[in-house]
Amino acid sequence: MSTITATQEQDVVERAPKGLFIGGQWRDATGGRTLAVEDPSTTETLAEVADATPEDAIAALDAAVAAQAAWAKHPPRERGEILRRAWELIMARTDELAILMTLEMGKPIAESKAEIAYAGEFFRWFAEEAVRIEGRYAQAPNGAGRMLTMRQPVGPCIFITPWNFPLAMGTRKIGPAIAAGCTMVVKPAQQTPLSMLALAQILAEAGLPDGVLNVVTASSSGRTMGPLIADPRARKLSFTGSTAVGQRLMQQASEQLLRVSMELGGNAPFLVFDDADVDAAVQGAMLAKMRNGGEACTAANRFHVGERVADEFTTKLAERIGSLKLGRGTQAGVDVGPLIDDGQRGIVRDLVSDAIAKGATAVVGGQEGDGRGYFYQPTVLAGVPADAKVLEEEIFGPVAPITSFDDEEAAVAAANRTEYGLVAYVYTRDLKRALRVVEGLETGMVGLNQGIVSNAAAPFGGVKHSGFGREGGHEGIEEYLDTKYVAINLD
Ligand code: NAD
């Protein structure tokens, strides 16, 4: 990839929509308020987008409610075709979308392109699922009556998404909701609203009727979205973000008994057994740890390595991680971008300091990066003691803490020693061990000899404090369908 020029960057930002998208119209926030979007690699303001008031958010819900009945009746084939056209537009505009995403989120262009392809896949997948919503017809056990089971859209949805995957965390919800016949109000993270606004423009161009998708951007998420969660016209809340915010939103959602899906934090263990192919494990670790600069809920948070291969694994991983180039994501040759903001960098810095103070060694990295942005060096920590916070807390940065284990039972116990349960990675060549370990892991997903699990065709989601509900796969659309049973009297 060649370096993106300043003019290219400016053109993309200028062309990007910056208003609220409500009822098919782009409009300013009430009172003309705006919020600044920052480039985390320079700390400079990239753009100003509308900063919605609670009244603006209610107007977005009004539009979603008004569009719901007609949208639920819209032919499934056409709902699918809109998604398919949107997927084609996303793919055709990958270059431009990637620049926008890199500028607001920081990840290198190649990673933005990978996210855009992944995000688009949810539209392609759910375009195909829209026409496969089925019911059942059965004879009642006593033979007298009949039972008809039908699936219907849940109704207007509220979606709240994080900044780390600005597009994909939206399309995982928007795709199945459109396919199922639901309308929605989406609130992207305030750090990365531009990608979601660009997606709204694409969906409108693809023929999505007015009011089906509404997007509000806001600096105060709680104040803006609180009234929507309390509004009895909303029927579903799907949230992706931190566990602490998810817990708060669940409490709020209980007032209206809103249906809820929660995609929350993670603390993924990466287990390498003595019988593993160490080179393959290092390759997988690079993906599991360094994808998105470690700012992923699926990021390998801690490496538990069998004692016999721990030194080899550490040396090889440190060599790979130490050779990564840190820098601005639009520059050629950059492998790792900045963290999203100073707060996130502070968390990473504190976790590394704590581990080192307790006896860990920084084999590579361990320092902030140069430059004005929120850079932190890709880091490998060896000999991390069991009481280091870095093993317990979500790192959300390019830091790989390594610790060792002596037997399988200890490995599984260490893996499960967390309140989170999103994903785990296991490297072993022993089939029986693989199945035993996979069955013993308390997670919603496992990467077996594979460092990446995300796939639009698979059910993504967690257990324990990582939440519930599944996005993608055949399960993904279930989150947006209610079941209605009809008892039929044949007498
Ligand atoms: P966050 O919880 O701070 O914010 C997520 C979203 O919630 C943002 O849009 C934010 O504006 C909004 N928000 C915050 N407080 C709110 C409130 N009181 N009311 C309504 N909305 C509110 O999380 P983040 O820092 O943006 O994202 C990082 C977290 O997301 C990590 O914990 C990560 O593991 C998690 N995550 C999980 C998944 C998954 O699928 N399980 C995927 C990506 C990220």
Side-chain angles (χ1 to χ4, degrees):
M1 188 210 90
S2 51
T3 293
I4 308 292
T5 65
T7 318
Q8 279 173 302
E9 290 182 6
Q10 221 173 340
D11 284 352
V12 167
V13 173
E14 263 168 31
R15 273 201 301 276
K18 299 173 189 78
L20 307 176
F21 187 64
I22 299 178
Q25 304 295 316
W26 291 99
R27 48 189 254 197
D28 290 338
T30 304
R33 294 185 339 155
T34 58
L35 84 95
V37 183
E38 190 186 67
D39 176 344
S41 68
T42 62
T43 76
E44 278 166 17
T45 297
L46 262 184
E48 297 277 342
V49 302
D51 187 1
T53 63
E55 294 71 33
D56 294 326
I58 289 290
L61 182 61
D62 291 344
V65 170
Q68 179 57 59
W71 182 239
K73 293 201 189 101
H74 209 86
R77 175 65 77 199
E78 285 181 25
R79 298 201 298 257
E81 281 169 358
I82 291 167
L83 284 174
R84 173 85 195 185
R85 278 198 294 278
W87 170 67
E88 284 165 3
L89 286 169
I90 290 170
M91 297 322 290
R93 294 195 195 152
T94 296
D95 288 352
E96 182 157 343
L97 286 169
I99 295 173
L100 200 59
M101 185 182 286
T102 291
L103 288 176
E104 66 176 350
M105 191 275 168
K107 68 179 92 178
I109 290 284
E111 292 230 32
S112 290
K113 287 186 177 172
E115 177 183 341
I116 290 160
Y118 173 55
E121 272 309 306
F122 287 94
F123 281 6
R124 182 153 71 147
W125 174 262
F126 286 108
E128 293 154 358
E129 291 293 280
V131 290
R132 316 220 190 290
I133 300 167
E134 292 167 349
R136 283 199 321 264
Y137 181 78
Q139 194 177 19
N142 68 4
R146 298 292 179 270
M147 299 180 298
L148 177 67
T149 308
M150 60 177 79
R151 315 304 311 283
Q152 294 182 305
V154 296
C157 301
I158 301 169
F159 295 155
I160 301 178
T161 58
W163 49 263
N164 62 339
F165 292 101
L167 210 56
M169 298 303 100
T171 59
R172 294 207 298 197
K173 304 179 192 304
I174 297 166
I178 287 178
C182 296
T183 62
M184 64 211 84
V185 177
V186 183
K187 195 212 73 71
Q190 53 272 44
Q191 296 93 331
T192 58
L194 295 168
S195 300
M196 187 62 75
L197 294 170
L199 184 72
Q201 191 176 45
I202 284 175
L203 279 161
E205 274 181 60
L208 192 69
D210 294 350
V212 174
L213 170 90
N214 306 277
V215 181
V216 293
T217 48
S219 56
S220 172
S221 308
R223 204 171 74 88
T224 313
M225 298 309 282
L228 267 58
I229 297 169
D231 193 311
R233 298 174 300 165
R235 295 294 161 78
K236 160 105 197 177
L237 168 67
S238 179
F239 171 75
T240 300
S242 61
T243 297
V245 173
Q247 285 169 323
R248 198 172 322 143
L249 294 179
M250 270 191 74
Q251 279 172 356
Q252 291 175 30
S254 69
E255 287 288 316
Q256 295 296 341
L257 289 169
L258 267 187
R259 267 187 74 172
V260 181
S261 303
M262 289 281 154
E263 297 286 348
L264 307 177
N267 177 357
F270 190 107
L271 306 180
V272 183
F273 287 92
D274 289 337
D275 60 64
D277 174 339
V278 174
D279 291 330
V282 169
Q283 180 59 24
M286 290 302 290
L287 275 175
K289 179 70 253 180
M290 298 311 301
R291 175 170 168 251
N292 227 39
E295 290 178 310
C297 52
T298 49
N301 209 69
R302 49 207 166 93
F303 292 84
H304 299 277
V305 186
E307 274 170 352
R308 279 194 3 241
V309 293
D311 286 348
E312 181 189 355
F313 178 83
T314 304
T315 307
K316 288 181 168 169
L317 185 66
E319 206 175 283
R320 292 283 300 275
I321 287 188
S323 69
L324 295 175
K325 186 173 171 206
L326 184 64
R328 189 153 190 261
T330 50
Q331 305 297 301
V334 165
D335 301 301
V336 183
L339 296 172
I340 192 69
D341 53 29
D342 204 33
Q344 189 54 45
R345 185 169 55 174
I347 292 173
V348 173
R349 190 175 46 222
D350 291 351
L351 291 175
V352 171
S353 310
D354 172 76
I356 290 173
K358 288 174 179 159
T361 315
V363 187
V364 290
Q367 302 286 331
E368 289 182 15
D370 301 328
R372 273 185 305 151
Y374 308 117
F375 294 104
Y376 197 90
Q377 290 175 353
T379 298
V380 175
L381 298 174
V384 179
D387 63 341
K389 285 196 284 189
V390 75
L391 301 179
E392 261 171 50
E393 296 175 19
E394 197 175 23
I395 307 170
F396 246 57
V399 177
I402 302 177
T403 169
S404 59
F405 62 80
D406 50 14
D407 65 22
E408 187 181 307
E409 209 180 320
V412 174
N416 289 337
R417 204 173 299 127
T418 170
E419 73 267 29
Y420 293 109
L422 190 61
V423 61
Y425 303 91
V426 178
Y427 274 76
T428 174
R429 283 189 275 214
D430 178 334
L431 179 62
K432 287 181 184 166
R433 163 176 279 163
L435 292 177
R436 271 196 311 268
V437 171
V438 165
E439 286 182 8
L441 288 168
E442 298 168 355
T443 58
M445 302 178 286
V446 179
L448 183 54
N449 294 319
Q450 179 155 314
I452 187 162
V453 294
S454 303
N455 191 319
F460 186 105
V463 298
K464 293 162 72 179
H465 281 205
S466 293
F468 48 82
R470 292 295 179 267
E471 293 189 324
H474 299 300
E475 291 82 353
I477 202 165
E478 296 293 324
E479 305 281 321
Y480 299 96
L481 294 169
D482 278 334
T483 299
K484 183 180 280 170
Y485 146 63
V486 187
I488 304 172
N489 182 349
L490 284 192
D491 286 346

